[in-house]
Amino acid sequence: QVQLEEFGGGSVEAGGSLTLSCVVSGYSHSDYCMGWFLQAPGKEREGVAGIASDGTTAYADGVKGRFTISIDNAKNTLYLQMNSLKPEDTAVYYCAVRRVTIAAMEPADFAYWGQGTQVTVSS
């Protein structure tokens, strides 16, 4: 059974930084795409960043240059380094995994999800 669990959410002032972690267990395939997604109140879930098993990455336009996705395969852990945070980054952040070797960020294509972690950025 594939399980994902996010860590690292919290409250920060605008301009600050946070690092999210996502520990994955039960995923036994060598090919993957892992992604970070956010869902703000009253809005649909949307992709933030994705990373594939071949090392390629993709980012939403609004986070390019501010967020960095990375993975430590030895620790089965996905990370999202978030810098220069803005109030509009406030949302619940989720990690997810799917079996494909492209850095995709379409939520509907991902089969396995974590429970989410809240990120709140105050102005």
Side-chain angles (χ1 to χ4, degrees):
Q1 182 180 358
V2 180
Q3 293 184 318
L4 300 91
E5 186 171 10
E6 300 94 342
F7 301 91
S11 297
V12 65
E13 292 185 352
S17 298
L18 280 175
T19 300
L20 304 182
S21 303
C22 171
V23 178
V24 185
S25 61
Y27 187 85
S28 59
H29 306 289
S30 60
D31 52 334
Y32 61 81
C33 172
M34 294 201 69
W36 286 101
F37 303 81
L38 65 81
Q39 188 165 18
K43 296 187 178 181
E44 294 187 354
R45 195 169 299 186
E46 59 186 70
V48 175
I51 185 167
S53 48
D54 65 355
T56 56
T57 58
Y59 293 92
D61 288 342
V63 306
K64 286 180 180 177
R66 299 191 298 123
F67 291 9
T68 303
I69 189 170
S70 62
I71 192 165
D72 185 334
N73 287 307
K75 296 182 179 180
N76 294 329
T77 301
L78 178 73
Y79 300 97
L80 185 68
Q81 175 67 44
M82 305 186 292
N83 298 326
S84 302
L85 282 161
K86 304 176 181 179
E88 51 263 44
D89 296 321
T90 295
V92 178
Y93 283 71
Y94 300 87
C95 62
V97 63
R98 61 180 290 208
R99 189 180 181 187
V100 67
T101 312
I102 54 172
M105 296 187 295
E106 176 53 53
D109 295 332
F110 284 75
Y112 304 103
W113 292 85
Q115 82 289 347
T117 186
Q118 176 71 46
V119 171
T120 302
V121 185
S122 59
S123 58

